Amino acid sequence: MIVQLNNKSLFKITQKIKLLLSFLHSTVIKLPKEQTRYLSEFIELGFHGDLYLKEIAFHCLWQAKQFIETGANVGSTLHYVLKHFSRLKAYSCEPDKDAYEFALSKVKDFPHVNLLNQVSPDMLYEIAKSDSSILEKDTVFWLDAHGYGYQWPLKDEVAFITHNFKKGYIFIDDFQVPGLNCFKWDEYENQICSFEFIKTSINKNLRFSLYYPSYTEKTSEHHPLTGWCMIEFGHPNFQLPPALESKIHKAII
């Protein structure tokens, strides 16, 4: 039997095929890649134990109202912050089940912490949706949900934060420090954890300052020199503490 189709019927069939292919494509790209989240050794120090990084982070934490971390791993930095700033509301997430459960065991007794077993873009969206006042509070962010073996959420994190939060200090770990190769940074499949990688994700209307370490001496007993940056926004009169002026510099963007 031969079935003859007119142009209208062919158009409907073509549209259905396109919709089906679109659905299949969206389903495939949403499948998570195999993740290889490296579980670090838990230590009673945060921020790699880097003396100068800890000092600038503490300077900002004293002024902030909350702490938001992405990529808790086993919870060393989260525990460290909560131990010293128990007044702060803290949010963090870790998608790896084993790391999440270990981190939770370390911070569950702190009264103001919300640690979630999910990826960071989902966590950021959910906490903002559950309480929009979070977006108004001065916040220290510690972005560490990047590494080796999977697609990084760093661009999504930076975009969400700079388009929704009113003010804050965004610390990004494992960051490439221009001109100082003594600092290690993360790099995977043509992704370099650097300002070039994230700059198009920053709200183009945002006024911000970018800070990098200037020191070259190793100040941690536990880790090698690990690169980082700080993006400060929403503080018109922000200044570095005098003791850190020779250790941290403001970049020309």
Side-chain angles (χ1 to χ4, degrees):
M1 180 176 65
I2 299 174
V3 178
Q4 291 186 338
L5 300 174
N6 56 31
N7 289 338
K8 187 174 182 180
S9 298
L10 284 171
F11 177 77
K12 288 183 177 179
I13 292 172
T14 302
Q15 291 300 105
K16 286 182 178 180
I17 291 173
K18 287 182 178 180
L19 287 171
L20 177 60
L21 289 174
S22 176
F23 170 76
L24 290 173
H25 175 69
S26 64
T27 302
V28 169
I29 63 174
K30 289 180 180 178
L31 290 175
K33 295 182 179 180
E34 182 181 357
Q35 296 192 358
T36 56
R37 187 76 168 102
Y38 172 70
L39 305 188
S40 353
E41 177 186 358
F42 180 85
I43 59 175
E44 294 287 339
L45 285 172
F47 308 107
H48 303 296
D50 183 327
L51 175 63
Y52 301 127
L53 172 56
K54 187 206 77 169
E55 286 188 11
I56 185 61
F58 272 36
H59 175 74
C60 298
L61 284 162
W62 279 118
Q63 302 172 67
K65 300 297 183 183
Q66 60 191 4
F67 174 70
I68 296 179
E69 176 190 52
T70 64
N73 204 294
V74 295
S76 293
T77 294
L78 180 61
H79 178 272
Y80 188 66
V81 169
L82 290 168
K83 185 172 68 173
H84 289 86
F85 298 90
S86 58
R87 66 178 175 83
L88 291 182
K89 179 69 177 178
Y91 303 88
S92 185
C93 62
E94 175 52 55
D96 183 276
K97 187 67 173 177
D98 292 336
Y100 163 76
E101 289 180 352
F102 187 91
L104 186 62
S105 72
K106 292 293 184 180
V107 303
K108 61 182 176 62
D109 293 330
F110 290 99
H112 305 302
V113 61
N114 188 3
L115 176 60
L116 302 172
N117 181 211
Q118 59 185 174
V119 295
S120 54
D122 290 347
M123 184 267 287
L124 289 169
Y125 175 78
E126 287 186 17
I127 64 173
K129 185 179 179 182
S130 67
D131 181 4
S132 60
S133 69
I134 288 171
L135 304 175
E136 305 292 330
K137 296 176 182 176
D138 202 1
T139 307
V140 170
F141 300 90
W142 177 245
L143 306 188
D144 195 19
H146 43 266
Y148 302 91
Y150 58 96
Q151 185 174 353
W152 298 343
L154 184 56
K155 288 183 177 181
D156 291 335
E157 294 168 355
V158 170
F160 186 89
I161 292 167
T162 60
H163 282 83
N164 291 281
F165 284 81
K166 300 300 182 185
K167 53 185 175 179
Y169 310 89
I170 306 173
F171 289 87
I172 305 178
D173 194 20
D174 306 300
F175 210 73
Q176 186 180 49
V177 179
L180 288 181
N181 291 333
C182 55
F183 286 90
K184 73 181 188 70
W185 65 85
D186 275 352
E187 182 175 351
Y188 178 76
E189 289 190 352
N190 298 318
Q191 298 175 117
I192 296 176
C193 192
S194 65
F195 185 70
E196 288 299 313
F197 182 70
I198 64 166
K199 67 179 183 180
T200 57
S201 299
I202 299 173
N203 183 349
K204 65 180 181 180
N205 296 316
L206 185 72
R207 297 185 64 180
F208 67 93
S209 298
L210 174 65
Y211 293 86
Y212 287 114
S214 303
Y215 53 94
T216 58
E217 65 267 36
K218 181 177 177 291
T219 65
S220 172
E221 298 179 2
H222 302 275
H223 293 276
L225 277 173
T226 301
W228 58 271
C229 81
M230 182 184 75
I231 298 171
E232 173 277 318
F233 65 100
H235 312 97
N237 300 314
F238 175 78
Q239 291 183 332
L240 289 170
L244 293 177
E245 289 178 354
S246 64
K247 304 298 181 181
I248 298 169
H249 71 276
K250 183 178 179 180
I252 298 174
I253 304 171

